[in-house]
């Protein structure tokens, strides 16, 4: 079980690095928005992986709160986004 968790952690770390690159180098604000949403999702997966590894359920409210903040943030930014070509 520990091997699976280590492999999942390494894969999520690689995903976070690639997403951070897209966040910093995104050609448009919409690309940056998608990268930020993906980074929040990777963070949620990391917290969930840690909760499964430590068998600690106290992180569940933090995971739910982070998912709500990520969703509301993405929707609000997408709603009021200004076009890039102006």
């Amino acid at each position: 079980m520990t091997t699976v968790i280590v492999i999942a952690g390494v894969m999520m770390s690689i995903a976070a690095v690639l997403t951070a690159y897209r966040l910093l180098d995104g050609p448009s604000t919409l690309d940056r928005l998608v990268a930020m949403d993906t980074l929040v999702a990777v963070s949620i997966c990391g917290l969930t992986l840690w909760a499964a590894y430590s068998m600690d359920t106290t992180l569940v409210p933090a995971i739910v709160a982070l998912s709500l903040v990520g969703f509301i943030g993405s929707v609000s930014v997408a709603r009021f986004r200004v076009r890039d070509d102006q």
Side-chain angles (χ1 to χ4, degrees), residues 7 9 11 19 24 28 30 37 40 50-51 64 70 86:
I7 291 171
M11 290 173 66
T19 303
L24 296 174
S28 68
L30 192 57
D37 196 31
V40 169
W50 177 254
V64 171
Q86 294 180 358

Side-chain angles (χ1 to χ4, degrees), residues 22-85:
R22 176 51 58 194
L23 181 66
L24 296 174
D25 194 42
S28 68
T29 57
L30 192 57
D31 287 334
R32 289 186 173 102
L33 174 66
V34 170
M36 189 64 199
D37 196 31
T38 305
L39 197 58
V40 169
V42 169
S43 301
I44 291 169
C45 289
L47 282 175
T48 306
L49 184 68
W50 177 254
Y53 175 72
S54 65
M55 294 185 188
D56 186 16
T57 60
T58 58
L59 289 174
V60 173
I63 293 167
V64 171
L66 189 59
S67 65
L68 286 174
V69 167
F71 173 73
I72 292 172
S74 296
V75 168
S76 64
V77 169
R79 169 85 168 103
F80 297 111
R81 187 179 78 88
V82 178
R83 295 183 66 117
D84 288 332
D85 57 349

Side-chain angles (χ1 to χ4, degrees), residues 1-7 53:
M1 185 67 168
T2 305
T3 306
V4 173
I5 291 178
V6 168
I7 291 171
Y53 175 72

